Amino acid sequence: MPEKEQPIIVQFAGRSLERKDLIWDETAVFFRVFRLEEGKDDDELVLLYESEAIKNHSHPQWGEFRLGTQDAADNRNRLLEVWVMYRDVDGSEGYIGKFLTTYAKMKYGPGSDNVYTVINEMKQQQKKNYENSGRMELVKFTDVSFFSFLDYIVSGTQLHYEVAVDFSSDESIATADQHRFDADLQLAIRAVGGILRDYTPNRLFAAFGMGAKTPPTFQEAHEFHLNFNIDPICRGLDGVIEAYRKAQSVVVPMKSAKFAPVVNSAIRLSLRSGFRGLHYHVLAIFTRGTPTDIKELSAAMMGASDAPISIVVIGIGNGDFSQLLKLAAKRKEGTRSCLQFINITDIIESGNSPAENRSRIAQKALRAIPEQMTDFMHAANIAAKPPIQFILDLVSFNDKSKNELREILSRFAAPLFSTVLRSSLIDLPAVPYIRLGRTAVSCAFGRRRTYTEETPQYLDVEIGARPSLTVRVPERCHSVLQTTREQYQRRLKERGLGK
């Protein structure tokens, strides 16, 4: 397979760029980015990007844009030549000047290292007192290809678990078969949810049903709330299973089901879940057969590729799942893969304990989630934020408080997901730090770091119930900048850290 293109996100701003006319200047300024190809005789310029034109020569700031690493960074010292131009009202273009940069230089990020002098070579040769034609500075550089699934989780991205159960069956179901289906369904719900629930702080899960006639009118329903409430949210995995049991006792199964309505509802739910990059959803559909709306489901999957969601269809029993397998393997060019199908009948082994079977199901069902989530983040130009750090003064802690602290830190330093997924996921590194005077020590690894009170990158938020414990929150984190103090204290309380 060809190597996947990775995006580099860049943004430039100009300062005091030269004008065509000092008084009646109606021109708009823009720039072009070229890759410099060294040739035997002359260097060749390959156009990579052209910006929008802005009528502001004094301090223009253009929108961010993307460059492919294969274009701009096939060699870390590959020269990039940026031409600063102007465009007149009649469409004619003029040259202001240019500067050179490299991927390696831009990786230093915004700052004095990435402020460039725009030089017009002709004017430099002709005018003795010529200095420059303005300045260009890098205001943003993000290579999102370096952000892994772990980076997003550590920076605060939450994983939300949604459940959808297909009640339909194309033939009458024997009591023994129904009991077996119920047992396998509950095992699979707990297997997947047992991993994802640790990354849903409130442990509230949306649950849907389909393929059944529902009371009181017993009309056909291809999407209904499993708990028959206005809100599909269930409290905990026990709440989801209890809602299924009650629904199973009152609904009448249909001969077929449609998946697209539930998938579209889950997509809308994911798009309304909050700040981009802080929430990612996993919809698990449990079924014993193939839906009748494969065409509509395929169209829904196209929409899901642009939403923060992954969909796992889990087959139970020996039904015909061939069309679902084809749909999961099919992906239109330019779209993100976000659908996976597994059949737990091929995974469960009768000789294994329930815990071992849950581990096998979770490993198969969630193995594609890290890649699918990072693909979405990269495509949406979402960078991981700095992790939250915990700083405390041990002097004011008694033995009881220290024991409470160990419990808190052990939860935040717990391995990512669980040991059953270590083949595809790696352990979550510890982010807590203990402050002793002006020194911070990593709780898990014992690394010593200098702590500066005036560090501008973090905000200190005290936790009311434990006055000696302070949470250092990254200023650049969306969840902090756009969250009130009351909302943040509520989030701490949900994590067991507040009053």
Side-chain angles (χ1 to χ4, degrees):
M1 292 180 63
E3 186 176 352
K4 184 171 61 176
E5 182 73 0
Q6 302 287 6
I8 301 170
I9 305 167
V10 185
Q11 187 176 20
F12 282 114
R15 294 293 179 267
S16 304
L17 296 174
E18 196 172 68
R19 297 173 177 270
K20 176 184 177 183
D21 192 312
L22 294 178
I23 301 177
W24 306 106
D25 190 359
E26 294 293 328
T27 61
V29 63
F30 66 100
F31 64 88
R32 292 184 177 129
V33 180
F34 297 91
R35 183 179 66 187
L36 197 62
E37 296 279 4
E38 296 182 1
K40 292 183 179 179
D41 300 323
D42 297 315
D43 292 339
E44 180 184 355
L45 294 177
V46 179
L47 179 64
L48 300 181
Y49 175 76
E50 179 176 322
S51 75
E52 71 275 20
I54 299 177
K55 287 188 176 182
N56 184 346
H57 283 249
S58 61
H59 52 276
Q61 180 164 316
W62 295 272
E64 60 187 46
F65 61 96
R66 300 173 65 181
L67 295 175
T69 51
Q70 296 302 310
D71 293 328
D74 57 335
N75 179 340
R76 289 180 62 85
N77 294 312
R78 165 75 64 192
L79 283 175
L80 300 177
E81 189 168 296
V82 182
W83 290 13
V84 185
M85 314 279 290
Y86 66 81
R87 183 175 292 124
D88 214 334
V89 289
D90 60 0
S92 60
E93 296 179 354
Y95 177 71
I96 297 176
K98 69 178 181 181
F99 65 91
L100 294 173
T101 187
T102 65
Y103 166 84
K105 184 175 178 63
M106 288 192 294
K107 270 191 68 67
Y108 287 107
S112 58
D113 290 325
N114 279 298
V115 177
Y116 303 94
T117 302
V118 179
I119 299 296
N120 187 314
E121 308 92 315
M122 294 291 293
K123 292 184 178 181
Q124 191 178 39
Q125 294 174 4
Q126 295 171 359
K127 297 181 180 180
K128 291 184 178 180
N129 297 328
Y130 175 81
E131 293 183 0
N132 58 66
S133 297
R135 297 184 184 278
M136 292 280 284
E137 61 182 72
L138 183 73
V139 295
K140 182 175 183 179
F141 180 87
T142 305
D143 190 345
V144 297
S145 64
F146 284 102
F147 292 120
S148 66
F149 174 75
L150 178 63
D151 293 326
Y152 291 108
I153 293 296
V154 171
S155 69
T157 299
Q158 299 175 9
L159 301 178
H160 301 276
Y161 179 41
E162 280 104 39
V163 172
V165 180
D166 175 14
F167 288 87
S168 68
S169 176
D170 57 358
E171 57 186 18
S172 59
I173 307 171
T175 303
D177 292 338
Q178 184 62 46
H179 289 332
R180 178 61 184 270
F181 176 84
D182 292 345
D184 289 349
L185 173 67
Q186 294 177 34
L187 181 72
I189 289 176
R190 291 190 184 278
V192 179
I195 302 298
L196 295 177
R197 67 182 176 184
D198 291 333
Y199 301 91
T200 304
N202 53 20
R203 299 199 175 188
L204 300 177
F205 310 113
F208 302 92
M210 53 191 168
K213 298 178 181 179
T214 58
T217 59
F218 289 95
Q219 293 182 343
E220 295 184 355
H222 294 290
E223 178 200 351
F224 59 91
H225 297 170
L226 205 59
N227 56 10
F228 291 102
N229 292 333
I230 296 176
D231 191 343
I233 299 298
C234 300
R235 185 170 294 278
L237 296 177
D238 290 337
V240 173
I241 292 173
E242 182 62 25
Y244 165 73
R245 287 173 178 166
K246 290 181 178 179
Q248 198 270 334
S249 65
V250 297
V251 302
V252 177
M254 294 165 49
K255 290 188 176 182
S256 62
K258 296 179 180 180
F259 288 2
V262 167
V263 170
N264 287 324
S265 290
I267 292 172
R268 290 192 295 270
L269 192 65
S270 71
L271 293 173
R272 295 196 303 262
S273 59
F275 301 115
R276 284 165 59 85
L278 295 179
H279 303 272
Y280 193 82
H281 294 247
V282 179
L283 170 64
I285 300 176
F286 301 90
T287 181
R288 56 180 125 211
T290 298
T292 57
D293 62 338
I294 288 292
K295 188 175 181 180
E296 291 80 3
L297 180 59
S298 179
M301 297 312 304
M302 293 284 292
S305 68
D306 296 325
I309 189 171
S310 289
I311 298 166
V312 183
V313 180
I314 300 175
I316 301 176
N318 299 313
D320 180 14
F321 301 113
S322 57
Q323 292 188 60
L324 285 172
L325 282 167
K326 289 180 181 178
L327 183 61
K330 176 183 175 183
R331 182 164 67 94
K332 189 174 181 180
E333 186 177 354
T335 62
R336 177 179 66 95
S337 174
C338 58
L339 175 65
Q340 183 186 358
F341 173 81
I342 66 168
N343 188 347
I344 66 170
T345 306
D346 301 331
I347 300 172
I348 294 177
E349 295 186 3
S350 57
N352 288 348
S353 66
E356 290 174 326
N357 282 327
R358 282 198 299 269
S359 296
R360 289 169 60 85
I361 293 171
Q363 188 172 15
K364 293 287 187 181
L366 298 175
R367 63 183 175 182
I369 301 301
E371 182 179 357
Q372 291 176 359
M373 191 184 91
T374 52
D375 283 348
F376 169 78
M377 298 294 191
H378 293 175
N381 295 343
I382 297 172
K385 306 298 185 297
I388 294 175
Q389 296 180 0
F390 291 83
I391 299 171
L392 53 121
D393 185 1
L394 284 182
V395 176
S396 58
F397 272 73
N398 55 32
D399 292 337
K400 182 179 179 181
S401 298
K402 289 179 182 178
N403 291 332
E404 292 179 359
L405 173 66
R406 289 191 187 97
E407 293 180 8
I408 295 170
L409 298 185
S410 65
R411 289 161 58 188
F412 281 87
L416 180 63
F417 279 2
S418 71
T419 54
V420 301
L421 294 181
R422 283 185 181 172
S423 59
S424 59
L425 305 176
I426 58 178
D427 287 349
L428 180 67
V431 294
Y433 288 86
I434 297 177
R435 189 178 75 194
L436 297 171
R438 297 179 63 82
T439 302
V441 181
S442 169
C443 298
F445 303 111
R447 291 195 300 266
R448 188 171 295 273
R449 292 179 45 170
T450 302
Y451 169 73
T452 306
E453 298 285 354
E454 293 79 13
T455 302
Q457 189 178 2
Y458 292 93
L459 301 172
D460 288 346
V461 181
E462 290 186 359
I463 298 176
R466 300 175 177 86
S468 301
L469 183 60
T470 301
V471 179
R472 303 193 68 216
V473 184
E475 284 188 345
R476 290 176 288 171
C477 183
H478 287 180
S479 61
V480 175
L481 284 179
Q482 303 182 31
T483 303
T484 65
R485 184 181 181 86
E486 291 75 16
Q487 289 174 324
Y488 189 72
Q489 292 291 348
R490 186 169 67 251
R491 291 185 184 180
L492 292 174
K493 185 177 179 181
E494 291 172 353
R495 295 185 179 185
L497 296 175
K499 293 181 179 180

